[in-house]
Amino acid sequence: MRYQNPIVRGMYPDPSVCRAGDRYYMVCSSMNYFPGVPLFESEDMVNWKPIGHCLTRESQLDLTGAEISSGIFAPTIRYHEGRFYMVTTNAVHHENFYVYTDDIYGEWSEPIFVKQEGIDPSLFFEDGRTYFISNGGDEQGSCIIMSEIDLETGELLTEPKALWRGTGGRFMEAPHLYKIGEYYYVLDAEGGTEYGHMVNYGRSKELWGPFEPFPGNPVLTNRNLGGYLLQGAGHGDLLEDRHGNWWFVHLAFRQEDMWGTWHHLGRETCLVPVEWKDGWFFMGNGTSSLSYDLPERAAEPQKRSYRKNFATLAEDREWCFLRRFDAERYAWEKDALTLSGASDSLFSKGSPTMAAVRQCEFRETISCRVENRCQEAGLTLFMDERHHYDLYLNDAGEAVLRLTVGSLSAETGRKKVGANAELRIEADEYRYAFYADGGLLGSMETKYLSTEVAGGFTGVVLGLYAVDEAGRRAAFRGLQIEHAEA
């Protein structure tokens, strides 16, 4: 049996994993979306079920004024003495903090802040002590830094000092420290979270090093795989499963085809088997592939779901909201969602009324019947405020297609339909096509919503939205999101 990468598809970057008993838990970055830090559970490291989020209250997560690729960066999850800890950075306020819970299905604590610079923090526990690791720098340049902290208060007990200077690649990030056998292993990602991304590590018998670099660094990179769909392999976390198999979860992205160097689904979560030899670990053949054989001791077939609706999206807790969530604007029923419009539009840096899910496959169809009383209400393919394609009903009873790419925004299709119409978007690797009551309003290339055009670190979300300064409502019924087989 084989499994396919990505194992978690769509904009779920910067994965980190831990094991608690016979189950595994994973967190990912959420950037400028609320709630923060998606949380997954697995029994086999291949099939992951969303079980909630770590940051569900505004007291934990203030995204006021967040740029589209700011917000929550690179969380790490660890399980220590019966308690789960999640540590991350709120890049809006340049603050590192952690939260904890004794019930993985329940609420997490209020933030405990740590006054250490850098991003991508991680925790390491040993002999009753807690160490806080992040990227940083000193007079010699960028490096990974570490200090001892008080786990109850987050107070620094020692001054941060350099732990590892990497291998010379730019943008050192994603630091993790492990104790495996007689060695400490320090891991990082370098090269930037793009086509030059790579994973490097070193080992030492002493906590503070010096660390001997792995002779085969980078231990994982797809930077030389021209003409390969999966690119940008890097930032990740190492784990041993209950069968003794070792794994590395990491981010990567799928470009639109072999030679089409655009990606719009965002950075996704992939999985690579790990092997050991002479105290060094190896990740496959040094590259991340689109599929792998499952180990015999963990032979669980990969389960893939290709249909989403209001019921399954609620059950899997997949909805996300831009910057903040105002519950009074959203009313869910079994097969419907009513939105109360707000003055913030998709062009603003506020919090428009928009319930969104991540686009997770190139080939998707999204359809929904919209009953509109707002200035505009409909479907959006949203990358950021300056890059989005909108199919909506206006208050004149027209279906409108609006395309926004950077400084250019134009209404390119219009059709009289009344206040109630079925809207549908069909997507493949290269184009989106937009329909209202079965009639084609127009189409547009996917690449203009890609990271290569828009910049940033996010991916396209499929949004149901409403704009109305008077707070009037729009109803969305019978939502269907179908994915073609990858």
Side-chain angles (χ1 to χ4, degrees):
M1 288 185 293
R2 295 179 71 82
Y3 70 88
Q4 289 185 358
N5 275 324
I7 55 169
V8 181
R9 305 166 87 85
M11 184 184 56
Y12 291 105
D14 308 324
S16 173
V17 287
C18 72
R19 175 183 167 190
D22 290 341
R23 298 195 177 187
Y24 315 101
Y25 298 92
M26 180 167 66
V27 292
C28 299
S29 294
S30 50
M31 314 306 287
N32 47 284
Y33 287 98
F34 188 97
V37 187
L39 176 63
F40 298 84
E41 181 181 59
S42 175
E43 297 181 1
D44 58 19
M45 287 295 291
V46 172
N47 298 288
W48 293 88
K49 178 179 176 58
I51 60 171
H53 294 78
C54 298
L55 306 177
T56 58
R57 305 184 298 277
E58 289 193 22
S59 60
Q60 298 169 312
L61 179 56
D62 180 8
L63 294 174
T64 304
E67 296 292 335
I68 205 67
S69 289
S70 183
I72 292 297
F73 284 1
T76 296
I77 188 170
R78 293 292 181 258
Y79 183 65
H80 175 65
E81 296 183 348
R83 176 169 284 180
F84 293 91
Y85 295 86
M86 189 284 297
V87 56
T88 188
T89 304
N90 186 334
V92 181
H93 306 287
H94 306 288
E95 292 175 326
N96 287 319
F97 68 93
Y98 55 92
V99 293
Y100 61 86
T101 186
D102 298 324
D103 177 10
I104 195 66
Y105 308 107
E107 290 289 308
W108 293 67
S109 72
E110 289 299 300
I112 298 174
F113 295 95
V114 179
K115 293 182 178 180
Q116 180 166 306
E117 68 170 318
I119 59 172
D120 298 8
S122 184
L123 294 173
F124 178 71
F125 302 97
E126 186 177 55
D127 297 335
R129 295 182 175 183
T130 303
Y131 298 90
F132 191 90
I133 307 146
S134 64
N135 74 345
D138 58 16
E139 65 280 356
Q140 298 182 46
S142 63
C143 57
I144 301 305
I145 58 176
M146 185 170 76
S147 64
E148 184 183 349
I149 65 169
D150 183 322
L151 187 58
E152 296 295 320
T153 67
E155 178 185 2
L156 298 185
L157 300 180
T158 64
E159 286 297 314
K161 67 177 184 179
L163 180 70
W164 163 252
R165 299 191 181 277
T167 64
R170 63 176 181 162
F171 301 137
M172 290 183 65
E173 57 187 83
H176 293 304
L177 184 65
Y178 313 91
K179 180 67 183 296
I180 304 170
E182 62 180 330
Y183 288 103
Y184 296 91
Y185 295 86
V186 60
L187 180 83
D188 79 353
E190 301 173 27
T193 181
E194 48 202 33
Y195 284 89
H197 214 25
M198 56 182 169
V199 180
N200 301 292
Y201 77 96
R203 72 181 187 184
S204 173
K205 292 186 177 181
E206 302 296 329
L207 174 64
W208 288 96
F211 288 86
E212 176 190 4
F214 171 54
N217 276 330
V219 64
L220 183 76
T221 185
N222 282 16
R223 65 187 181 185
N224 295 322
L225 292 184
Y228 195 63
L229 191 68
L230 197 66
Q231 296 290 337
H235 192 135
D237 204 359
L238 190 68
L239 182 137
E240 181 184 19
D241 70 17
R242 65 181 185 271
H243 303 289
N245 302 307
W246 284 86
W247 303 94
F248 185 68
V249 294
H250 69 90
L251 68 78
F253 55 80
R254 288 175 286 165
Q255 58 187 35
E256 65 178 31
D257 64 26
M258 287 178 59
W259 306 112
T261 53
W262 296 278
H263 72 282
H264 60 280
L265 301 184
R267 298 169 299 157
E268 307 175 285
T269 291
C270 297
L271 181 69
V272 176
V274 172
E275 300 291 339
W276 290 84
K277 183 178 180 180
D278 299 329
W280 297 108
F281 57 83
F282 301 77
M283 297 179 184
N285 65 355
T287 64
S288 183
S289 299
L290 286 166
S291 66
Y292 288 95
D293 289 322
L294 280 167
E296 291 184 4
R297 289 174 294 171
E300 293 292 333
Q302 190 174 27
K303 305 174 184 69
R304 301 285 293 278
S305 174
Y306 299 102
R307 293 184 179 178
K308 298 291 183 181
N309 53 43
F310 281 121
T312 57
L313 288 169
E315 179 182 349
D316 289 342
R317 306 182 188 184
E318 292 184 65
W319 292 108
C320 60
F321 309 88
L322 197 54
R323 297 186 182 86
R324 64 184 298 269
F325 173 64
D326 184 347
E328 294 183 354
R329 300 187 201 170
Y330 303 85
W332 272 275
E333 301 173 39
K334 182 178 180 180
D335 194 34
L337 170 62
T338 299
L339 300 181
S340 298
S343 58
D344 283 342
S345 74
L346 299 177
F347 297 86
S348 78
K349 293 187 177 181
S351 296
T353 300
M354 180 178 73
V357 296
R358 294 154 173 87
Q359 183 180 351
C360 61
E361 297 292 355
F362 291 117
R363 299 182 181 184
E364 287 194 340
T365 298
I366 175 173
S367 61
C368 194
R369 180 157 290 276
V370 181
E371 301 171 11
N372 181 46
R373 297 292 182 271
C374 296
Q375 291 168 276
E376 64 178 79
L379 309 178
T380 181
L381 299 163
F382 187 87
M383 183 64 157
D384 63 30
E385 296 91 350
R386 302 178 70 246
H387 300 83
H388 49 93
Y389 302 160
D390 316 318
L391 176 62
Y392 64 90
L393 304 184
N394 64 19
D395 52 8
E398 297 173 314
V400 181
L401 173 60
R402 180 178 59 212
L403 306 173
T404 300
V405 179
S407 299
L408 301 176
S409 186
E411 296 177 356
T412 62
R414 187 181 294 266
K415 177 183 179 182
K416 192 72 175 179
V417 294
N420 187 326
E422 183 188 57
L423 303 182
R424 188 171 87 254
I425 302 173
E426 296 180 357
D428 63 21
E429 290 88 344
Y430 311 106
R431 300 188 73 84
Y432 295 107
F434 303 88
Y435 299 84
D437 280 346
L440 178 66
L441 264 66
S443 66
M444 188 62 169
E445 293 92 338
T446 59
K447 68 181 180 181
Y448 296 118
L449 297 186
S450 69
T451 295
E452 287 73 22
V453 173
F457 309 123
T458 58
V460 171
V461 297
L462 310 172
L464 282 56
Y465 80 99
V467 179
D468 194 88
E469 294 181 357
R472 292 176 294 180
R473 298 180 178 180
F476 297 75
R477 305 186 188 280
L479 174 69
Q480 295 289 333
I481 303 175
E482 299 184 359
H483 313 287
E485 181 75 35

